[in-house]
Amino acid sequence: MSIAIETRGLTKRFGGLVALDGVDLQAAAGETLGIIGVNGAGKTTLMNCICGLYRPDGGDVFISGERVTGQPPHVVAHKGIGRTFQVPRVFRKMSLIDNLLVPVLDHRASDAELTERAEGMLARMQLIDLRHNYAEELSGGQQKLLEMARMLMPDPPIVMLDEPFAGVHPVLCKFMIERIEEMSGAGKAVLLISHDLTSIYRLSTRVVALNQGKVIAEGGVDDIRGNPAVIEAYLGT
Amino acid sequence: MMPVSSRPQDSADRIYFTLVALIGGALMIYFALVPVFGLNVAFHFYLMLWITMASAFNVSSGFSGYLPFGYVAFYGIGAFTTAILVKKAAFPVFLALPFSGVAGLVLALLFAPTLRLSGIYFGIVSLALAGICRLVITNMPEEITGGSFGLQLGSRAHPVQSFYVMMAVMVVALATILWLSRSRLGKALRATRDDADAAEMMGINVPRVRLYGWMIAAFFPAVCGGVEAWYTNVVDTETAFNTLITAKTVIYAVAGGLGTVTGPIIGAVAMVWLDELIWRQFPLLNLLILGVATVALVLFLPRGIVGSILRRKPQWRRYVP
């Protein structure tokens, strides 16, 4: 399988705090890479460095073999990367339809075609009846679904999901898990951050464990489950 | 899924454009007939000016999320550009007016680095820059800007012609903003307003989009300044850079509701009319009563007239520009 996304020695510092310390990882098309770690381990910082929101202090990011380190986020996005956020960052005063159109504004398809695609995506996420509402009028769980739909609109080959199950009802959680399985089934490389280890273990092909900005373990689900370093980082024993 | 041509969105679009054509057409006919039927030309001239100013301000504030407290800078620079070109370079007024718009665009480009700021910081810097513009023009040689007496355009004043030019400027401004509200640029601007980082990670070139919005917001007040200079026949720094111009623009736009096309129009119509009514009835307490009315409006309708209606009737958003 071809490598969709790769980081080599990725380092990010905030003053004296080393948030990422030489992180190497790679994910192939169709693979779901779970990223776990306690609060402050550097998971979200890793995503922010990959998508260009933070400029790394060292190391490189490659998307489909192309180096994108230090490129502005809108350029990185056009390389085929989509993401969601730990706390939903929907466009609050825009309708659901318009939220979905934002990532495809520079596409050549007509407005009618894009709107039709957006409506199809909202129907898939069971949000179609609310399509003319403002995003701020949705519940937290619905905003997570909206973000997921928005991320999928340009059909990016790489998706990054930051805590998609945080604060989500179990029924909705199950629905989201099915959507994530569809993504990897469709050949997308999925980077999944979650504190919910059950979901991570169910969805991931491989898992990377971070602690204090470093990769402390990497491997299959069974390898990570029994890894002493991971157990110590999580349980402190 | 239904074919593209028969989706409910299309019928919503038909209603939207029919409403725009009917209401816009009726307003144009009304304004066009004002001088013909001898109605109050001055009142309607300033009504159109404030509709244009509030609508253009809406591009900066309602669409892009910037609150330029120094918005009057564009108006003032436009007024002086027209006055200087007409008085000192003997330009015909019709030729000078587009240069006012260009001056507004140049000033917008000079101010563009401030777009890195946001919120109150942007507002304060914008206010300071407007003050600097005023100082620069005040301190320019008297032969150019007329010093404390300002510039008088002499025999070029033509109230009816300038009325119709103001009407044309308003129509172009509203058409531009109507287009913007439905365009991809408009969606990009609103996304940037709501969350610039998220918008950038969705592929939007945020600095470029903000600059486009900023330039649209700067062009029309500059032209308004030029037309008003022609209408009143006199320009001086006291009036052309008066902060009350920014204040009125902000109040009218906020009263109607930022972020919609109709909001600033309705806000300007309601507040200019109210201002006129209070001024006629209570000339001594005019500003006090107007201030109380403005406070009441903000307290009871914090999203403005149109914004509050659409808040209660979200299904109308599809039909109301």
Side-chain angles (χ1 to χ4, degrees), chain A residues 53-142:
Chain A
L53 189 62
Y54 293 163
R55 194 181 181 90
D57 295 307
D60 280 310
V61 179
F62 297 89
I63 293 177
S64 305
E66 184 184 348
R67 184 176 175 274
V68 296
T69 321
Q71 303 257 29
H74 69 271
V75 175
V76 178
H78 287 131
K79 304 289 180 195
I81 199 160
R83 73 169 289 186
T84 64
F85 303 89
Q86 190 169 357
V87 178
R89 294 177 75 166
V90 294
F91 302 121
R92 299 178 62 79
K93 296 253 189 293
M94 295 175 74
S95 71
L96 270 58
I97 287 279
D98 283 350
N99 260 271
L100 262 62
L101 293 178
V102 170
V104 290
L105 288 176
D106 58 351
H107 283 213
R108 285 186 181 170
S110 69
D111 288 354
E113 285 168 341
L114 291 174
T115 303
E116 191 177 1
R117 198 200 300 177
E119 285 176 345
M121 195 67 77
L122 287 175
R124 214 168 118 197
M125 295 294 173
Q126 301 179 350
L127 293 171
I128 189 68
D129 292 340
L130 301 166
R131 61 190 180 279
H132 298 301
N133 281 68
Y134 281 168
E136 68 179 358
E137 292 158 1
L138 300 185
S139 70
Q142 287 172 325

Side-chain angles (χ1 to χ4, degrees), chain B residues 45 78-79 82-83 86 92-94 96-97 153-166 223-235:
Chain B
F45 175 90
T82 291
V86 169
V93 175
F94 286 105
L97 287 174
L153 275 68
S155 59
R156 275 119 179 149
H158 200 303
V160 174
Q161 269 186 15
S162 48
F163 177 91
Y164 282 117
V165 170
M166 188 64 242
V223 179
C224 282
V227 181
E228 209 256 352
W230 180 29
Y231 182 78
T232 58
N233 210 26
V234 62
V235 178

Side-chain angles (χ1 to χ4, degrees), chain B residues 110-157:
Chain B
L110 285 172
F111 286 2
T114 64
L115 295 174
R116 289 163 182 257
L117 302 171
S118 61
I120 194 71
Y121 304 104
F122 175 82
I124 291 168
V125 168
S126 152
L127 184 64
L129 288 172
I132 291 170
C133 284
R134 179 182 173 165
L135 275 176
V136 167
I137 290 187
T138 304
N139 289 295
M140 280 172 80
E142 203 171 312
E143 306 81 65
I144 300 174
T145 57
S148 57
F149 291 106
L151 288 169
Q152 293 191 348
L153 275 68
S155 59
R156 275 119 179 149

Side-chain angles (χ1 to χ4, degrees), chain A:
Chain A
M1 280 190 290
S2 61
I3 300 299
I5 186 156
E6 183 179 9
T7 69
R8 290 183 200 157
L10 204 61
T11 301
K12 178 67 188 173
R13 296 184 199 91
F14 296 103
L17 176 77
V18 182
L20 290 178
D21 191 359
V23 173
D24 295 321
L25 62 79
Q26 49 182 235
E31 182 181 30
T32 300
L33 179 68
I35 300 169
I36 61 171
V38 295
N39 290 333
K43 306 182 296 294
T44 300
T45 304
L46 174 66
M47 277 197 182
N48 287 341
C49 284
I50 289 173
C51 71
L53 189 62
Y54 293 163
R55 194 181 181 90
D57 295 307
D60 280 310
V61 179
F62 297 89
I63 293 177
S64 305
E66 184 184 348
R67 184 176 175 274
V68 296
T69 321
Q71 303 257 29
H74 69 271
V75 175
V76 178
H78 287 131
K79 304 289 180 195
I81 199 160
R83 73 169 289 186
T84 64
F85 303 89
Q86 190 169 357
V87 178
R89 294 177 75 166
V90 294
F91 302 121
R92 299 178 62 79
K93 296 253 189 293
M94 295 175 74
S95 71
L96 270 58
I97 287 279
D98 283 350
N99 260 271
L100 262 62
L101 293 178
V102 170
V104 290
L105 288 176
D106 58 351
H107 283 213
R108 285 186 181 170
S110 69
D111 288 354
E113 285 168 341
L114 291 174
T115 303
E116 191 177 1
R117 198 200 300 177
E119 285 176 345
M121 195 67 77
L122 287 175
R124 214 168 118 197
M125 295 294 173
Q126 301 179 350
L127 293 171
I128 189 68
D129 292 340
L130 301 166
R131 61 190 180 279
H132 298 301
N133 281 68
Y134 281 168
E136 68 179 358
E137 292 158 1
L138 300 185
S139 70
Q142 287 172 325
Q143 289 190 9
K144 292 239 173 203
L145 288 177
L146 177 63
E147 267 200 332
M148 201 177 269
R150 185 180 66 182
M151 176 189 73
L152 292 172
M153 264 301 280
D155 196 20
I158 302 160
V159 295
M160 303 196 297
L161 303 155
D162 193 350
E163 298 285 5
F165 314 116
V168 173
H169 185 272
V171 175
L172 190 55
C173 200
K174 183 170 171 286
F175 180 78
M176 292 171 92
I177 286 172
E178 288 166 5
R179 300 288 81 77
I180 295 168
E181 284 172 337
E182 282 174 10
M183 290 177 213
S184 54
K188 296 184 189 304
V190 180
L191 264 63
L192 174 64
I193 289 178
S194 181
H195 277 115
D196 179 9
L197 293 182
T198 312
S199 310
I200 282 272
Y201 289 153
R202 175 178 165 183
L203 288 165
S204 303
T205 324
R206 284 186 307 119
V207 178
V208 167
L210 289 176
N211 192 31
Q212 295 182 344
K214 286 183 180 166
V215 176
I216 55 168
E218 183 179 358
V221 169
D222 291 335
D223 302 328
I224 294 296
R225 249 190 205 131
N227 189 298
V230 176
I231 294 168
E232 189 187 338
Y234 262 84
L235 301 175
T237 54

